[in-house]
Amino acid sequence: MTPVHFAFSSAFILGLTGLAFHRTHLLSALLCLEGMMLSLFIALSLWTVQLNSTSLCAAPMLLLAFSACEASAGLALLVATARTHGTDHLQNLNVLQC
């Protein structure tokens, strides 16, 4: 395993563990998801550069576009949650109570 591969794998695993174990605030969960998406973007970009392939060059940009859409939807949910409930604590949110 190269040091670059180890760095991106550890960044993804770190974001995944942060998402799994620190679920107190919605903002921290969204930041962990963004960290995971950025590590995937950089890894996919380096993979296409290493393969020297022109057919895969659009894949990192597509992933980045989906990541931006996910971030905007998450921030919209954060604002809506903060307005209705007054906080972004995930324990106060109940899916069954709309």
Side-chain angles (χ1 to χ4, degrees):
M1 179 182 293
T2 63
V4 174
H5 186 263
F6 177 73
F8 293 124
S9 297
S10 62
F12 183 80
I13 296 297
L14 192 67
L16 188 64
T17 55
L19 184 64
F21 295 126
H22 301 292
R23 290 182 289 168
T24 56
H25 294 280
L26 183 60
L27 184 61
S28 65
L30 290 174
L31 285 175
C32 289
L33 281 174
E34 280 301 310
M36 289 169 56
M37 289 300 287
L38 286 177
S39 68
L40 283 177
F41 168 71
I42 293 172
L44 190 61
S45 298
L46 287 177
W47 183 58
T48 57
V49 168
Q50 285 177 351
L51 288 180
N52 203 9
S53 171
T54 58
S55 64
L56 297 174
C57 65
M61 297 309 280
L62 186 66
L63 182 72
L64 193 62
F66 282 132
S67 175
C69 292
E70 177 254 335
S72 65
L75 287 176
L77 285 173
L78 178 69
V79 168
T81 302
R83 284 185 181 175
T84 57
H85 296 287
T87 184
D88 70 334
H89 287 275
L90 290 176
Q91 294 172 347
N92 293 341
L93 302 177
N94 191 355
V95 178
L96 299 176
Q97 281 182 336
C98 290

